[in-house]
Amino acid sequence: MTAIAQAFSRYLPPKVVTNDDLSKLMETSDEWIQKRTGIKERRFVEAPTTTSDLAVEAAKGTLEQLEGKPVDAIIAATLSPDFDFPGIGVLVQTKLGLPEIPAFDIRNQCSGFLYSLELAKALVLQKQYERILVVGAEVHSTGIDLTSRGRDIAVLFGDGAGTCVVSAEEHASSRIPALRLLQSEMHSDGAHASKLWCQHIGSAHFPTRVTQELLDEAKCFPTMEGKKVFEHAVKRMVEVSHSVLAKEGIPASKVRLVVPHQANLRINTMVGDALGVPGDRLFNTIERYGNTTAATIPIGLSHALMEVPLHPEDYILSCAFGSGFTWGATLMQVV
Ligand code: UT7
């Protein structure tokens, strides 16, 4: 028995924010952003839309494809929950009107969706659950410093959500092609935690988590050592991709499509070059959505599975790298 991921769906908030829009808020330019990152525009939520709201809108598109078959667990990945606690899993459960099924929250940032697939696959194969709703959702726009001080990070991120359902089945019933989950590998190295993190607010701060200094000095925003993260991202995504391909015993030339995490178009091009995968077999959405962290891969797959001509047995590879550091790759095959 294999595990499949099916009924991919996405939701992007309607408000489009272009690079020119950002250049009115901070010292940046469309030219700089496109040249360094590939991003042309991204989506931002408007009040009162939250991360769980985006997840729910995407999940509706997934559940509708199941034609009444129930899900019996939720695994939700985000670094930008509606509240410090509880996580978004329980909010998604109640907003969708689902019964009192378990809701797991995953905190692995850009690798969160692949980590969630990993967990979902293990749980359905051991028959603990039958059909797991897997969510990657993010609202960055209210958590970044939209001034010149935060420009190195602020121009990169956007809001959005993607979902699918994982089950232990041979055949899919969803309208959108399903993916068999083959080889996968996840990693972490917390020695690099401070290279990309949101240090405040957290329990490492005394005597209280929120101080006036925190607010005055804008310490509540994420910080990143961009060049170092870039180097590690390329190295690790290539390494882990080679590793899952070797486990399956196939060369990269057999992969029909790579649907990688979307942090920087230059990162993805370098990963493609290192793997020997040409640009027409790399599927990117960063130009229109920026980096939506845990949501980039399900959003990308929901587009790719509808828009790219695919055939049963075609191999699809996803790889991710992000804060933690965490990274991983999952090799899939069109059902
Ligand atoms: O998804 C999680 C993983 N995240 C990533 O993988 C992101 C990895 N890092 C990156 O994508 C790149 O490092 C960035 C896009 C963040 C930055 O690109 P870079 O080529 O590494 O630029 P840099 O940080 O070295 O900055 C170059 C210059 C600096 O000016 P000086 O010191 O040369 O005068 C920056 O101050 O560009 C300046 N700069 C900007 N200029 C205009 C930084 N951000 C901006 C901006 N607009 N938004």
Side-chain angles (χ1 to χ4, degrees):
M1 186 59 72
T2 52
I4 59 170
Q6 63 176 315
F8 278 89
S9 172
R10 65 176 178 276
Y11 180 77
L12 282 305
K15 184 180 172 190
V16 174
V17 177
T18 64
N19 294 341
D20 285 336
D21 292 333
L22 291 183
S23 69
K24 291 177 191 128
L25 302 173
M26 63 189 81
E27 286 170 48
T28 192
S29 65
D30 178 49
E31 192 200 351
W32 191 95
I33 300 171
Q34 284 209 48
K35 195 168 153 211
R36 302 287 178 127
T37 72
I39 300 167
K40 294 183 173 143
E41 58 187 41
R42 72 287 292 143
R43 305 294 182 91
F44 279 6
V45 295
E46 290 175 283
T49 304
T50 65
T51 302
S52 69
D53 292 330
L54 300 184
V56 164
E57 289 311 309
K60 284 179 187 166
T62 287
L63 298 180
E64 168 261 315
Q65 293 177 62
L66 298 182
E67 294 174 338
K69 288 193 198 134
V71 292
D72 52 2
I74 299 168
I75 301 178
T78 189
L79 66 70
S80 52
D82 300 19
F83 310 108
D84 200 13
F85 69 86
I88 64 164
V90 296
L91 304 177
V92 170
Q93 176 269 335
T94 196
K95 287 181 184 181
L96 285 171
L98 295 172
E100 295 162 350
I101 59 176
F104 300 86
D105 289 295
I106 294 286
R107 288 287 309 264
N108 292 101
Q109 299 65 250
C110 301
S111 314
F113 187 77
L114 294 188
Y115 265 71
S116 300
L117 281 187
E118 181 89 337
L119 179 59
K121 178 183 168 186
L123 290 171
V124 297
L125 287 179
Q126 79 184 40
K127 300 195 189 312
Q128 186 73 18
Y129 303 104
E130 206 171 324
R131 222 168 277 108
I132 302 180
L133 174 65
V134 180
V135 174
E138 223 72 73
V139 168
H140 282 297
S141 56
T142 53
I144 46 181
D145 185 356
L146 289 166
T147 70
S148 297
R149 185 181 48 200
R151 67 180 182 173
D152 60 325
I153 288 196
V155 301
L156 304 177
F157 291 98
D159 305 339
T163 53
C164 71
V165 157
V166 172
S167 55
E169 287 174 272
E170 294 295 339
H171 305 287
S173 52
S174 64
R175 160 165 55 78
I176 297 176
L179 295 172
R180 195 171 293 123
L181 301 175
L182 303 176
Q183 309 295 337
S184 56
E185 201 175 293
M186 303 297 133
H187 293 275
S188 73
D189 184 356
H192 300 284
S194 64
K195 291 194 174 71
L196 172 51
W197 66 351
C198 191
Q199 194 183 357
H200 307 268
I201 302 165
S203 63
H205 304 290
F206 299 93
T208 56
R209 295 174 193 188
V210 185
T211 60
Q212 195 54 47
E213 181 203 5
L214 169 77
L215 301 173
D216 291 345
E217 296 181 17
K219 286 183 172 173
C220 49
F221 296 117
T223 55
M224 172 170 72
E225 294 179 37
K227 278 196 194 307
K228 292 216 172 73
V229 176
F230 190 114
E231 285 160 19
H232 281 270
V234 175
K235 177 174 178 285
R236 294 307 198 176
M237 288 207 283
V238 170
E239 201 174 86
V240 74
S241 295
H242 275 310
S243 186
V244 295
L245 291 170
K247 282 183 184 169
E248 184 67 11
I250 60 160
S253 57
K254 282 257 166 70
V255 175
R256 170 71 185 87
L257 208 60
V258 177
V259 185
H261 172 53
Q262 305 287 305
N264 190 316
L265 196 57
R266 289 188 293 134
I267 291 179
N268 290 353
T269 304
M270 288 166 90
V271 169
D273 288 349
L275 292 173
V277 172
D280 63 350
R281 289 199 280 124
L282 262 182
F283 193 87
N284 290 307
T285 57
I286 190 161
E287 299 93 330
R288 49 190 151 164
Y289 302 143
N291 183 351
T292 57
T293 318
T296 60
I297 290 177
I299 289 173
L301 288 171
S302 76
H303 271 291
L305 292 169
M306 290 295 281
E307 295 161 19
V308 178
L310 296 168
H311 300 98
E313 315 302 314
D314 277 352
Y315 286 107
I316 298 198
L317 175 71
S318 284
C319 51
F321 178 90
S323 164
F325 292 151
T326 59
W327 65 100
T330 304
L331 182 65
M332 298 163 279
Q333 194 171 33
V334 177
V335 173

